[in-house]
Amino acid sequence: MASDLAAKAKEAFIDDHFELAVDFYSQAIAIDPKNPELFSDRAQANIKLKNFTEAVSDANKAIDVDPSNPKAYLRKGMACFSLEEYQTAKTAFEAGSILAPEDARFTDWIKKCDKFIAEENGELPTQSSQEAEQVRNVSNEVITTPAKPKYRHEFYQKPEEVVVTIFAKGIPANNVFVNYGEQILSVTIDVPGEDAYVFQPRLFGKIVPAKCKFEVLSTKVEIRLAKAESIHWTSLEFGQNSLVVQRSNVSAGNQRPTYPSSKPTRDWDKLEAQVKKEEKDEKLDGDAALNKFFRDIYKDADEDTRRAMRKSFVESNGTVLSTNWKEVGSKMVEGTPPDGMEMKKWEY
């Protein structure tokens, strides 16, 4: 029974046998994989073992099963804090504090996160490494040796993104779980009857989680990480080299070539700016003014507004132009002819 294994895990945890606790929790999860408490409690044991990335994965699974579990957010926040993912940790603590406002632990952790975030932004004097370690030290000194990876992985990069490839063949998409933090990647491949594969590196640089995505292919899992800054990553994982920031080289195609000439040099940037200003200030009448007005709206609009404009204009045969995607996104936009005119379908 999963409950019996969970009881044994708790006893082992109380006796400081954290590895044994993780083992019992893992057996219980195999029997009852939809129990968020098991994942949350295993996360706590992993924190004690300093397996912080594994703890983040367990907390994320607990949240996926039950988003209203404040304990899971507490475990995630503590693990992310120990990984120096202070912004991600703060977000988790804030979510937990909403669910359990009476729990003062969330408030205390949020204050700690704010302090370290401020230091990273240069707003406060940096603590000594000894003081910082005392705050981050939420576990004992027991460290486990990581097992040999089940799947091989590699990465390459572009100025704006890093592409990570995990060579896992024939894995169903619903057995692959990928989560992102501001500087952490969490990948779990959990195939029934096999040991779960967990890959959770602290990344070389920060990413934008909302812009990251992944795809499960027949021979591999491909993950695209959107860089927060256009810097060159000398490795995938964080290390001493991460302290050296190297800006990505700007493409030569963006720079105007220069050639020797006896003619007076011209400031082309200035001329370009002047032409744009003249275009902006140009006074138009009638349809030209209306078209320019719509172009300006489209140019400065967000993606949903642009989608709404395109969809409404095409489906209404040019008689409706809406900027409200919520209004037009889920239905067909009917044409609205001008007064005194009638809509007719073209006969081919």
Side-chain angles (χ1 to χ4, degrees), residues 133-283:
E133 180 62 24
Q134 289 174 353
V135 177
R136 287 192 291 266
N137 186 19
V138 293
S139 63
N140 62 13
E141 297 301 321
V142 181
I143 301 177
T144 56
T145 303
K148 183 179 179 181
K150 185 176 181 180
Y151 303 114
R152 180 172 64 89
H153 73 270
E154 63 182 30
F155 83 101
Y156 67 91
Q157 63 184 300
K158 302 176 183 178
E160 71 283 357
E161 70 175 359
V162 172
V163 181
V164 180
T165 303
I166 299 175
F167 295 94
K169 186 176 181 180
I171 303 297
N174 59 353
N175 293 121
V176 180
F177 308 91
V178 182
N179 291 284
Y180 315 96
E182 64 174 345
Q183 199 173 347
I184 188 171
L185 169 66
S186 174
V187 183
T188 302
I189 300 177
D190 196 357
V191 179
E194 301 181 12
D195 292 336
Y197 164 82
V198 179
F199 177 57
Q200 295 171 316
R202 184 183 178 200
L203 300 171
F204 181 94
K206 293 186 177 183
I207 59 176
V208 183
K211 295 183 179 180
C212 297
K213 58 185 178 180
F214 74 96
E215 184 178 7
V216 180
L217 303 173
S218 60
T219 59
K220 61 185 179 180
V221 178
E222 188 173 85
I223 305 162
R224 295 183 175 272
L225 305 174
K227 293 181 180 179
E229 296 180 279
S230 296
I231 61 173
H232 178 73
W233 291 18
T234 57
S235 63
L236 177 63
E237 300 187 36
F238 180 86
Q240 292 298 323
N241 292 336
S242 304
L243 301 177
V244 181
V245 179
Q246 300 174 352
R247 291 282 173 183
S248 296
N249 293 329
V250 180
S251 171
N254 296 332
Q255 300 176 355
R256 292 187 176 87
T258 57
Y259 305 96
S261 173
S262 59
K263 297 181 180 180
T265 57
R266 293 188 178 183
D267 188 340
W268 294 106
D269 290 331
K270 183 177 180 180
L271 289 174
E272 182 181 8
Q274 184 178 346
V275 170
K276 288 183 177 179
K277 185 177 185 303
E278 290 175 355
E279 290 177 350
K280 184 177 180 181
D281 296 339
E282 183 180 6
K283 302 298 183 182

Side-chain angles (χ1 to χ4, degrees), residues 312 315-321 333-339 341-343:
S312 61
E315 292 182 353
S316 69
N317 293 316
T319 62
V320 176
L321 187 64
V333 181
E334 300 293 337
T336 305
D339 293 340
M341 301 187 71
E342 179 183 356
M343 288 285 294

